[in-house]
Structures are given as structure tokens and as C-alpha cells.
């Protein structure tokens, strides 16, 4: 079967092995937005990093949001470009608040750059979000899209409103070369230019221009049913300068971080807990880019399902970032053909692994405890031991009833198990007979707050509390260092993507 598919691949590769469907669907794209598995995912079931005011690039200007130009943003994995349009002598111009304050050039020039990148990357779906500040008509935009050659690759839906679940797959969009999706905040008209999609009947948004780090997940703007719409989180932090919001760049590393107060990772967790599904778009200031920043990009890949009620079986929380193929997709340098099973972190020894795990627990103020352990049942055995460490706040369901080791001990601290929905975070690892190597599958997404807030739920916090050192369990102690995003070190291989969490395959 495999060799058959491989042989046919250059011609037409059907992803469906069975009968009727196979006759209709021929798939050419084998990698979509950098991930083979995205080809069969619907557009509405993928999470994209978006660049807020993507054209406002520069330094030393209060009106700039981005450090790198849009070509670089796209190459860094950004797949939604947001922009504000203004009327400059009749032309559609990309300015910030006003063209006197910041003029980012004409829409046509900008779209030309997008076209160049998309031509060079034919297996990528890109979205635009236009804030139509000066109320240009859809036909005005159509003229500019045509001039840039983007009208022909623009996706026009069947109807003006599409629930998140009704979008085509990325594979279908790429195969039909309709892979530019354009939303407009107001003024869209499906009957006149169908590829300019009205944003708020299709997407709801969280609050924007916030100046505190709460980043809740409440519906702030919508013109539809938020339970079925896609949604966008505005994850950029402003500060007030002369009463006006301006990007708060000083703490960009925290805002775009993976964990801790005000981080992107934390807002995503808040949203998953509130909505039972991942955001579709995450709008950020500053390009989330491994190579240019000392902190990991706010990228989120597959997370294990979190049981929020009611959870239809097909509503897994799969949060994906579009890592560009050039940067690798979590498959890559470690070779071995073992990559698809999720064991993508490789340590040279058990000691190196333990050091990494301790650092991970320390930095995120979390604790992993031993779950299942088993050997390989295959002959010859494929590994020596498989150990699953689960977050101490995992769910009890389906597990052996806990028998108190010391029945007369009285519980002095609150139970750390989360009632009902357990935390899905886990570290599964395998050891081998013929080598020291340890391979790890890391599900790093916790369903609860991590960082100092989690301290009372760790042994360290519990000890401090029982010993009377921490006055209140709900308040993190003052001297607790802020959680640090995972830093790359040369001793242990860093996680390819810090949120790169997927289900860990159980191989025999
Ligand atoms: C965009 O930025 C990259 C470096 O980040 C640079 O190499 C490239 O020339 C820039 N492109 C344009 C059109 O300015
Ligand atoms: C949306 O956010 C803005 C800005 O914070 C706020 O003024 C407004 O009341 C919010 N609207 C809703 C419906 O939550
Ligand atoms: C989203 O994609 C995952 C992975 O393919 C799939 O299991 C799930 O059913 C999809 N969810 C929806 C709502 O389409
Ligand atoms: C963010 O950057 C500031 C200034 O460079 C630094 O002091 C701080 O430790 C960084 N925080 C994180 C979470 O990386």
C-alpha cells in the first residue's frame, strides 16, 4: 500500500483508501501549511498566528507594532496578516490611526508582496484581516486585488456566513489554488465581491487594546453565534501614552511567552477552558520567531483533548501553529522515522532527561507524577521501558483508586486534583536496551494556571504552607521568580516548539 501511494504521489494522491470518496477526491498537496496532517483538516479547525498591524514595521515609533516586514513574518510562520486601511487622496493606503502618524505604503504594494510570497509557497493558506477604517467599497478593494493578481487565488465561500465546522480542508483550498482568505471588519458585500468575507458574522473577537495582562476570553465583538463561529484572540498588550494606547514593547517577551501571567499560552488555556476549543486566530505584536527572539514563539501545536462537557468525540482541541517548512515542523533533525509518534524530544541520557524535566517543573511551577509504566511487547522489543508521567493535577477517572498510605494523616492542603476535568499535561518517555538515549513525547499544555498560581498544588508549595510559610494558598509568595519561558540550552535539546504537544502514540 505504501509503495503504491508513493509511486502514485506525483500524479494524484488520494488520502482516502476506501471506495466511494476516493473516486471524487484526488489530493495533490501532501504538506499543507507545513504539516501533512493539516491537508485533511478544515480551515476552521486550525489555529493561526496573526500579525496585528502587520504593515506597521519599524523602530522608535509609537505607532509601530512589528519588528520585521511581512515577508519575514510569513516566513516565520505568521498566517494571518491584519491591517488598517485609510483613504489617502483616493488611494487605499495602509496607515496606522492616520497617514500623518504612520504611512505603511499602498495596499497594492503590500498585496504584491503577499502574492510574491504565496507564489513561492504554493502549499500555504494565508488569511488577511482588513480593518476598513475609511469605508472603501468592496469593488474598490477588488480593483486592487486584481491589480496585484490576488483575486484569482482568493477563496470565495458558498454563502456569506460559514460556521467554523463548514470550511473546506486546507488540502482542498491548496489543490484548488483558492488559498487566500480575506476578512473585512465592515463593509463586505457577498453579492458584489464574494471573496471579501464579513468578519463579525463569521468570527468573534476578544477585547483589544487592553492595557492590563488579564487577557480574558469573553466575547467582545460579534455579529453572529459565537458558539459556532471561529474566534480570534487579541493578544497584544498596550500601554497608554498621552492617553492613547501604544504597543507595550517592553514586556513583549512575556506577552508572547508560553506561560505565566499575561502570556499567550495562558490566554489560550483560558479560552480552551471557557470554550472547549482553541482559538482560530491569535493576533500578536512582534513576530513570533525563534531565531530573532530569545524567547520561544507563541506557537501551539496539537494538544491532548481536555474533557470539557459536553465534548463531542470529534471536538478534540488541536491547536496548531503553522511552522513554516523551512523551520521544520517537529519532524526533522532527529531522524529515525520515529517522528510521527510524537516522541520528538531526544536526550542523550536519562540524567540529561531528568535535568530537563526538573527544570521544566521548576520553571512552570508544576509537578509530574508517575503514571503507567510498561515494557515493549513487540518481539524483539522496540524499547526497554515506557513511562508516562502525568501532571499532578491529572484526572482520577479511570485510574486505580488512591489508597492512603497513612490513613490517619489529616489533609492540611487542598486536593490538587481538578474535579471533573483533569489536567492532560504529560511527559511520556522511552528508554532502550542498546543505547542511552531517552525519547520523550511532551504534552505541555496544562488545563489550569501554571506559574506561581500553581504553587499551592505542588509538594514544595504544600510544604511551605503546612510549615506556615505561605500565608494564603491563593496568593503566590512575593519572592517567587516569574515563570520563564523554556529557554534553549546546549546541554539538552530544546523542545522543537514549546507548545508542540501531541498525543503520544502507544507503540507495542
Ligand atoms: C524583509 O526583511 C528581510 C530581513 O528580515 C530582508 O532580507 C528583506 O530584504 C526585507 N524585504 C523587503 C521587501 O524589505
Ligand atoms: C469590548 O471591549 C471594549 C474595550 O475594552 C469595551 O469598552 C466594551 O464594553 C466591550 N464590549 C463588550 C460587549 O464586552
Ligand atoms: C479537528 O481536527 C482533528 C484532527 O484531525 C479531528 O480529530 C477533529 O475531529 C476535528 N474537529 C472538528 C470540529 O472538525
Ligand atoms: C523579558 O525581558 C526583560 C528585559 O530584557 C527581562 O528582564 C525579563 O527577564 C524577560 N522575561 C522573560 C519572561 O523572558
Amino acid at each position: 500500500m505504501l509503495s503504491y501511494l508513493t509511486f502514485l504521489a506525483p500524479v494524484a494522491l488520494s488520502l482516502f483508501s476506501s471506495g466511494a470518496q476516493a473516486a471524487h477526491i484526488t489530493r495533490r498537496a501532501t504538506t499543507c501549511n507545513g504539516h501533512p496532517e493539516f491537508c485533511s483538516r478544515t480551515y476552521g479547525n486550525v489555529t493561526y498566528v496573526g500579525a496585528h498591524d502587520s504593515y506597521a514595521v519599524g523602530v522608535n515609533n509609537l505607532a509601530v507594532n512589528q519588528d520585521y516586514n511581512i515577508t519575514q513574518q510569513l516566513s516565520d510562520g505568521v498566517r494571518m496578516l491584519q491591517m488598517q486601511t485609510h483613504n489617502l487622496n483616493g488611494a487605499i493606503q495602509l496607515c496606522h490611526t492616520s497617514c500623518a502618524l504612520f504611512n505603511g505604503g499602498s495596499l497594492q504594494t503590500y498585496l504584491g508582496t503577499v502574492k510574491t510570497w504565496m507564489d513561492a509557497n504554493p502549499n500555504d493558506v494565508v488569511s488577511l484581516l482588513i480593518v476598513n477604517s475609511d469605508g472603501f467599497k468592496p469593488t474598490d478593494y477588488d480593483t486592487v486585488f486584481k491589480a496585484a493578481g490576488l483575486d484569482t487565488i482568493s477563496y470565495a465561500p458558498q454563502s456569506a456566513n460559514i460556521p467554523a465546522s463548514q470550511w473546506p480542508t486546507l488540502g482542498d483550498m491548496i489543490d484548488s489554488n483558492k488559498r487566500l482568505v480575506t476578512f473585512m471588519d465592515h463593509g463586505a458585500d457577498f453579492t458584489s465581491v464574494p471573496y471579501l468575507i464579513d468578519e463579525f458574522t463569521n468570527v468573534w473577537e476578544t477585547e483589544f487594546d487592553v492595557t492590563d495582562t488579564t487577557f480574558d476570553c469573553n466575547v467582545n465583538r460579534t455579529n453572529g453565534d459565537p458558539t459556532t463561529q471561529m474566534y480570534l484572540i487579541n493578544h497584544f498588550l498596550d500601554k497608554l501614552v498621552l492617553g492613547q494606547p501604544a504597543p507595550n514593547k517592553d514586556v513583549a517577551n512575556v506577552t508572547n511567552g508560553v506561560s505565566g501571567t499575561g502570556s499567550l499560552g495562558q490566554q489560550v488555556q483560558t479560552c480552551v477552558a471557557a470554550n472547549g476549543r482553541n482559538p482560530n486566530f491569535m493576533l500578536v505584536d512582534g513576530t513570533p520567531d525563534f531565531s530573532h527572539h530569545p524567547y520561544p514563539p507563541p506557537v501551539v501545536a496539537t494538544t491532548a483533548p481536555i474533557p470539557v462537557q459536553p465534548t463531542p468525540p470529534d471536538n478534540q482541541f488541536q491547536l496548531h501553529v503553522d511552522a513554516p517548512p523551512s523551520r521544520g515542523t517537529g519532524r526533522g533533525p532527529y531522524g529515525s522515522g520515529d517522528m510521527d509518534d510524537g516522541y520528538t524530544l531526544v536526550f542523550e541520557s536519562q540524567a540529561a532527561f531528568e535535568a530537563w524535566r526538573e527544570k521544566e517543573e521548576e520553571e512552570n511551577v508544576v509537578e509530574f507524577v508517575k503514571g503507567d509504566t510498561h515494557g515493549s511487547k513487540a518481539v524483539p522489543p522496540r524499547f526497554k521501558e515506557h513511562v508516562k508521567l502525568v501532571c499532578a493535577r491529572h484526572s482520577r477517572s479511570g485510574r486505580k483508586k488512591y489508597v492512603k498510605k497513612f490513613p490517619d494523616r489529616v489533609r492540611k492542603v487542598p486536593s490538587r486534583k481538578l474535579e471533573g476535568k483533569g489536567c492532560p499535561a504529560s511527559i511520556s518517555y522511552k528508554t532502550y536496551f542498546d543505547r542511552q538515549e531517552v525519547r520523550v513525547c511532551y504534552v505541555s499544555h496544562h488545563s489550569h494556571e501554571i506559574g506561581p498560581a500553581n504553587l499551592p498544588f505542588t509538594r514544595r508549595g504544600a510544604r511551605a504552607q503546612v510549615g506556615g510559610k505561605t500565608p494564603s494558598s491563593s496568593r503566590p509568595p512575593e519572592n517567587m521568580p516569574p515563570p520563564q519561558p523554556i529557554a534553549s540550552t546546549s546541554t539538552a535539546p530544546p523542545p522543537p516548539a514549546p507548545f508542540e504537544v501531541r498525543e503520544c502514540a502507544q507503540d507495542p
Side-chain angles (χ1 to χ4, degrees):
M1 183 63 179
L2 256 185
S3 56
Y4 173 68
L5 287 181
T6 309
F7 176 68
L8 278 185
V11 187
L13 172 56
S14 165
L15 286 184
F16 298 88
S17 50
S18 69
Q21 274 180 310
H24 302 291
I25 301 166
T26 46
R27 177 137 300 149
R28 288 162 203 89
T30 53
T31 298
C32 298
N33 284 31
H35 294 259
E37 69 275 20
F38 283 9
C39 291
S40 54
R41 278 218 182 191
T42 66
Y43 174 86
N45 190 14
V46 173
T47 299
Y48 310 89
V49 174
H52 171 231
D53 291 330
S54 55
Y55 58 95
V57 180
V59 287
N60 299 329
N61 183 332
L62 287 175
V64 306
N65 303 72
Q66 301 297 336
D67 305 328
Y68 302 101
N69 62 37
I70 55 166
T71 303
Q72 186 71 47
Q73 290 169 26
L74 288 165
S75 298
D76 287 343
V78 164
R79 288 296 176 274
M80 169 178 265
L81 299 168
Q82 189 254 22
M83 72 202 82
Q84 236 179 57
T85 57
H86 291 262
N87 186 334
L88 186 66
N89 308 320
I92 309 181
Q93 201 80 4
L94 300 175
C95 301
H96 196 179
T97 313
S98 85
C99 291
L101 188 60
F102 182 89
N103 184 342
S106 71
L107 177 65
Q108 187 166 332
T109 303
Y110 178 99
L111 293 183
T113 307
V114 173
K115 171 82 160 69
T116 302
W117 190 90
M118 290 187 74
D119 284 348
N121 294 271
N123 292 327
D124 279 85
V125 174
V126 172
S127 306
L128 305 178
L129 174 53
I130 298 175
V131 176
N132 188 16
S133 308
D134 287 348
F136 279 104
K137 293 194 301 294
T139 46
D140 298 331
Y141 284 99
D142 189 42
T143 305
V144 181
F145 273 63
K146 284 193 166 112
L150 283 178
D151 59 320
T152 52
I153 63 167
S154 287
Y155 174 74
Q158 297 288 315
S159 61
N161 307 324
I162 330 152
S165 61
Q166 300 298 308
W167 283 79
T169 63
L170 295 192
D172 287 346
M173 296 172 83
I174 288 167
D175 289 349
S176 59
N177 202 26
K178 300 288 181 195
R179 50 195 181 86
L180 180 68
V181 180
T182 303
F183 297 99
M184 205 150 80
D185 73 327
H186 75 279
D189 177 7
F190 181 72
T191 57
S192 103
V193 182
Y195 67 78
L196 293 177
I197 302 169
D198 178 61
E199 181 191 2
F200 291 111
T201 48
N202 287 287
V203 180
W204 65 264
E205 283 195 18
T206 61
E207 197 178 341
F208 67 101
D209 276 349
V210 301
T211 51
D212 71 62
T213 54
T214 310
F215 288 116
D216 65 32
C217 203
N218 301 333
V219 178
N220 185 266
R221 293 186 293 172
T222 185
N223 189 14
D225 176 4
T227 62
T228 56
Q229 289 180 308
M230 296 191 288
Y231 74 104
L232 178 152
I233 59 175
N234 285 298
H235 194 85
F236 43 90
L237 187 66
D238 282 351
K239 60 181 174 194
L240 291 179
V241 179
L242 304 175
Q244 291 302 312
N248 188 344
K249 292 201 159 191
D250 308 340
V251 293
N253 58 341
V254 177
T255 306
N256 286 352
V258 171
S259 62
T261 303
S263 68
L264 178 60
Q266 194 170 76
Q267 189 180 16
V268 169
Q269 290 192 17
T270 303
C271 288
V272 169
N275 301 312
R277 60 193 167 104
N278 292 316
N280 298 84
F281 310 101
M282 310 187 290
L283 223 49
V284 299
D285 277 345
T287 314
D289 174 6
F290 261 136
S291 66
H292 295 291
H293 293 274
Y295 54 87
V299 294
V300 192
T302 321
T303 68
I306 299 170
V308 175
Q309 297 300 330
T311 307
D314 66 342
N315 191 8
Q316 310 282 301
F317 309 127
Q318 313 276 354
L319 198 41
H320 279 271
V321 115
D322 264 348
S326 57
R327 287 278 172 79
T329 62
R331 267 156 270 277
Y334 304 118
S336 94
D338 201 11
M339 292 294 103
D340 272 338
D341 67 358
Y343 289 76
T344 49
L345 288 183
V346 184
F347 296 88
E348 59 190 21
S349 66
Q350 180 96 23
F353 161 66
E354 295 296 348
W356 167 82
R357 179 189 53 77
E358 277 170 27
K359 191 159 150 273
E360 209 43 32
E361 290 185 330
E362 179 90 20
E363 284 178 358
N364 294 324
V365 198
V366 295
E367 218 161 68
F368 288 93
V369 298
K370 219 168 203 177
D372 170 69
T373 302
H374 63 265
S376 172
K377 292 188 189 70
V379 186
R382 305 242 292 261
F383 53 88
K384 188 165 149 194
E385 201 181 30
H386 177 282
V387 180
K388 183 170 186 184
L389 305 174
V390 295
C391 172
R393 305 185 70 181
H394 64 94
S395 165
R396 268 182 191 169
S397 66
R399 291 178 50 83
K400 227 170 45 189
K401 190 166 165 27
Y402 173 68
V403 182
K404 273 191 171 180
K405 282 196 201 107
F406 305 100
D408 31 25
R409 258 193 207 167
V410 180
R411 188 177 272 288
K412 290 206 182 71
V413 294
S415 166
R416 54 187 181 176
K417 304 290 191 296
L418 291 174
E419 275 315 315
K421 46 176 182 173
C423 176
S426 67
I427 298 175
S428 300
Y429 68 92
K430 292 184 212 171
T431 56
Y432 300 87
F433 287 105
D434 58 342
R435 53 195 197 274
Q436 297 296 305
E437 186 180 287
V438 176
R439 281 181 178 269
V440 177
C441 176
Y442 185 24
V443 177
S444 63
H445 183 88
H446 292 262
S447 62
H448 51 84
E449 205 174 337
I450 60 174
N454 198 48
L455 185 65
F457 302 101
T458 64
R459 276 188 291 257
R460 188 156 49 111
R463 266 199 305 272
Q465 196 173 50
V466 171
K469 291 199 183 71
T470 309
S472 147
S473 65
S474 59
R475 262 180 72 132
E478 249 82 43
N479 59 359
M480 189 68 202
Q484 305 287 316
I486 305 156
S488 304
T489 66
S490 50
T491 49
F499 257 57
E500 172 74 13
V501 279
R502 49 177 81 213
E503 301 220 41
C504 308
Q506 289 284 343
D507 73 329

